[in-house]
């Protein structure tokens, strides 16, 4: 893939896009020895993305600036951690780096915005610093930063197993579109969502690797996958929804809103929430449905996006 290196007053610069994801299937199988959950998921990239500009400077520092005032710009931010991890492992010389993040994906929303920013940073810096790591190496490095980072790197439609980092691509030719809704005041912490789920369901967890494998095979051979189409929409399972929906009014509102939309094929919460999405036959139907429901959206105080499925993960602009 060619990159689009440009030159600014300060130096070489690259712009990378970091797309959001939704979960078409999120099934919790059991608990792993490392304390994470063993998952069987089908994830889908969508056309809602953050924009990251990476520019070489000469002050020796790594600086992150962003238009989103709620985000930290220090070592807590996955972008800064991704840049530092790449520096450590590649031993490349850093003369200085300015990162500008334009945040379009809502934060704490179950859309993997932070993970996608980390993946995009690894991807862009690998080119800007001329490191030459393969995609596989970058995915492996990304898995140290978060379970969803490898998916965000590869993107498209993928089965994600293990703690989410073990990928198997699925060829999806669907033109389906997504209506995404979120209460701007609501956030859900992923560790909290998993710990509530565990408390409620740990006695039912599968334990043996062969039982995990049976479930993985069932997910990969599910009848709704052949093909993933408007006449055969995914049933959209998300195990975390069963514990988050009852305690999160914002999720109940979003799901109730989606259920009333003309043309919606199926709807669900994404990841650990609170954002929820509905699937539509195409982007025109999705936009039309939203246009007819603007007043209701405002009344409920929900933010809304219409976007298509995207066939790849992070990329150069
Ligand atoms: O990997 P990531 O940093 O995104 O995970 C955030 C938290 O979500 C973990 O610390 C863990 O509490 C929970 N988690 C889990 N099992 C997974 C993925 C995440 O329990 N497979």
């Amino acid at each position: 893939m060619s990159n689009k290196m440009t030159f600014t007053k300060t130096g070489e610069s690259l712009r990378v896009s970091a797309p959001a994801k939704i979960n078409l299937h999120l099934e919790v199988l059991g608990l792993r020895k490392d304390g994470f959950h063993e998952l069987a998921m089908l994830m889908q990239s969508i056309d809602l993305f953050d924009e990251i500009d990476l520019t070489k400077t000469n002050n020796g520092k790594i600086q992150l600036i962003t238009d989103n005032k709620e985000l930290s710009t220090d070592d807590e931010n996955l972008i800064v951690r991704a840049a530092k991890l790449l520096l450590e492992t590649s031993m490349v010389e850093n003369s200085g780096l300015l990162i500008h993040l334009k945040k379009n994906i809502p934060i704490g929303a179950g859309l993997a915005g932070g993970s996608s920013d980390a993946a995009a940073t690894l991807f862009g810096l690998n080119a800007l610093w001329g490191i030459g790591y393969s995609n596989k190496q970058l995915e492996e490095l990304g898995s140290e930063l978060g379970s969803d980072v490898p998916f965000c790197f590869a993107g498209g439609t993928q089965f994600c197993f293990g703690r989410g980092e073990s990928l198997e691509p699925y060829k999806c030719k669907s033109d389906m579109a997504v209506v995404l809704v979120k209460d701007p005041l609501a956030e859900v912490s992923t560790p909290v969502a998993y710990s509530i789920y565990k408390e409620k369901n740990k006695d039912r967890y599968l334990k043996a690797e062969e039982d995990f494998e049976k479930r993985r095979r069932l997910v990969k051979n599910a009848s709704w996958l052949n093909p993933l189409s408007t006449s055969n929409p995914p049933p959209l399972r998300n195990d975390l929804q069963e514990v988050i929906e009852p305690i999160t009014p914002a999720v109940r509102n979003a799901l109730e809103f989606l259920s009333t939309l003309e043309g919606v094929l199926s709807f669900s919460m994404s990841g650990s929430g609170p954002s929820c999405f509905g699937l539509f036959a195409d982007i025109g139907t999705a936009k039309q449905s939203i246009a007819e429901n603007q007043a209701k959206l405002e009344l409920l105080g929900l933010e809304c996006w219409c976007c298509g499925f995207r066939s790849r993960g992070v990329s150069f602009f």
Side-chain angles (χ1 to χ4, degrees):
M1 195 187 297
S2 71
N3 63 54
K4 294 193 179 140
M5 195 91 75
T6 54
F7 291 87
T8 66
K9 272 186 196 154
T10 41
E12 292 159 72
S13 186
L14 270 178
R15 176 171 283 191
V16 195
S17 72
K21 63 84 184 159
I22 53 170
N23 296 82
L24 300 177
H25 187 93
L26 190 168
E27 185 177 340
V28 179
L29 303 183
L31 209 54
R32 297 155 51 95
K33 288 198 183 80
D34 59 11
F36 280 76
H37 283 85
E38 183 72 28
L39 304 174
M41 303 191 282
L42 184 66
M43 303 233 264
Q44 175 65 54
S45 305
I46 56 172
D47 267 329
L48 168 67
F49 47 85
D50 291 341
E51 297 159 50
I52 299 178
D53 286 305
L54 304 163
T55 305
K56 281 186 185 175
T57 59
N58 48 22
N59 61 10
K61 293 183 191 158
I62 293 179
Q63 284 175 290
L64 170 64
I65 50 174
T66 175
D67 55 342
N68 189 312
K69 294 189 177 65
E70 287 166 50
L71 280 175
S72 76
T73 51
D74 56 19
D75 282 6
E76 234 183 86
N77 193 299
L78 274 180
I79 291 180
V80 177
R81 285 169 52 199
K84 290 193 171 169
L85 182 63
L86 197 57
L87 270 181
E88 268 167 37
T89 54
S90 67
M91 316 256 274
V92 77
E93 194 93 24
N94 169 38
S95 62
L97 176 70
L98 178 64
I99 306 168
H100 182 267
L101 167 67
K102 183 166 187 300
K103 196 77 197 153
N104 301 315
I105 306 171
I107 57 178
L111 300 168
S115 299
S116 196
D117 292 346
T121 303
L122 293 177
F123 178 69
L125 289 179
N126 188 46
L128 189 74
W129 286 339
I131 295 171
Y133 279 169
S134 66
N135 287 354
K136 191 91 209 130
Q137 282 173 299
L138 291 172
E139 275 178 32
E140 273 170 26
L141 204 57
S143 71
E144 291 179 33
L145 296 163
S147 309
D148 288 342
V149 178
F151 169 79
C152 294
F153 192 86
T157 319
Q158 308 253 356
F159 296 106
C160 306
F161 300 121
R163 62 184 173 92
E165 88 297 0
S166 175
L167 308 182
E168 289 184 33
Y170 170 74
K171 273 200 180 15
C172 172
K173 294 204 188 85
S174 176
D175 294 331
M176 270 188 265
V178 177
V179 166
L180 197 62
V181 282
K182 180 182 176 284
D183 181 333
L185 303 176
E187 274 184 41
V188 173
S189 144
T190 304
V192 171
Y194 277 104
S195 95
I196 300 173
Y197 186 87
K198 184 166 79 176
E199 215 33 62
K200 206 166 161 233
N201 294 287
K202 59 178 181 296
D203 296 341
R204 288 193 277 142
Y205 280 0
L206 300 176
K207 293 206 170 57
E209 169 53 31
E210 65 194 77
D211 291 331
F212 291 165
E213 187 51 28
K214 258 189 225 156
R215 286 304 311 169
R216 287 181 203 120
R217 252 183 275 132
L218 279 172
V219 171
K220 284 198 280 187
N221 295 318
S223 59
W224 53 268
L225 284 164
N226 298 308
L228 192 59
S229 66
T230 302
S231 55
N232 198 23
L236 299 180
R237 170 172 173 173
N238 182 342
D239 287 352
L240 296 177
Q241 187 179 323
E242 94 189 26
V243 292
I244 296 302
E245 185 184 346
I247 58 170
T248 316
V251 169
R252 291 202 296 279
N253 276 345
L255 291 169
E256 205 278 322
F257 172 75
L258 288 165
S259 73
T260 62
L261 293 182
E262 179 90 19
V264 70
L265 299 169
S266 44
F267 54 93
S268 175
M269 189 177 86
S270 185
S272 53
S275 59
C276 296
F277 65 94
L279 294 182
F280 287 76
D282 52 64
I283 195 81
T285 316
K287 283 187 174 162
Q288 170 78 25
S289 192
I290 287 309
E292 286 163 6
N293 281 279
Q294 277 305 322
K296 197 167 177 195
L297 271 175
E298 274 168 39
L299 196 68
L300 291 169
L302 294 170
E303 286 181 308
C304 178
W305 299 261
C306 282
C307 34
F309 279 13
R310 176 175 156 124
S311 59
R312 59 187 175 152
V314 298
S315 65
F316 297 112
F317 268 89

